[in-house]
Amino acid sequence: AYPFFQYADAFLSYWGPDAKSVHTEEVTKLSIPVLAIAGSADWLVPFKFLEQFTNAAGGPSEYRFYDDGAPHSFVGREDRTTSDVLDWVEQEVID
């Protein structure tokens, strides 16, 4: 285990009840298209949250889930991620 050093106000600013990090509340304010991407080894964005986040988006939204052990950094999946983003942007611009 790693030690965790953080001041209480810093912790609450991110994790507290009125924090801007309540992403499923913040994303409802968007009216633009949203593409969310996460991987199966991403402990920060598990699949269930990816679905909730995408469903909560105020604008048209989609997600991509890399079920191949992809971490939060997508290391080793740069080409796939780039391709997915470019294809999605192309689709959004054309539609």
Side-chain angles (χ1 to χ4, degrees), residues 38-43 65-71:
S40 57
D42 184 349
W43 62 273
F65 184 70
Y66 299 169
D67 194 16
D68 60 356

Side-chain angles (χ1 to χ4, degrees), residues 42-54:
D42 184 349
W43 62 273
L44 291 170
V45 185
F47 180 71
K48 186 172 182 155
F49 179 78
L50 180 66
E51 283 187 315
Q52 290 171 345
F53 177 84
T54 305

Side-chain angles (χ1 to χ4, degrees), residues 6-87:
Q6 191 172 41
Y7 291 107
D9 60 340
F11 180 83
L12 290 173
S13 73
Y14 194 81
W15 297 104
D18 297 318
K20 294 275 187 218
S21 60
V22 182
H23 304 304
T24 51
E25 290 178 18
E26 293 298 312
V27 77
T28 64
K29 299 173 185 175
L30 297 177
S31 59
I32 60 173
V34 173
L35 173 64
I37 304 174
S40 57
D42 184 349
W43 62 273
L44 291 170
V45 185
F47 180 71
K48 186 172 182 155
F49 179 78
L50 180 66
E51 283 187 315
Q52 290 171 345
F53 177 84
T54 305
N55 291 335
S61 63
E62 282 185 48
Y63 68 80
R64 304 282 189 277
F65 184 70
Y66 299 169
D67 194 16
D68 60 356
H72 190 68
S73 65
F74 301 106
V75 69
R77 291 144 186 95
E78 295 85 355
D79 290 343
R80 179 181 179 189
T81 306
T82 301
S83 178
D84 281 352
V85 169
L86 291 175
D87 289 346

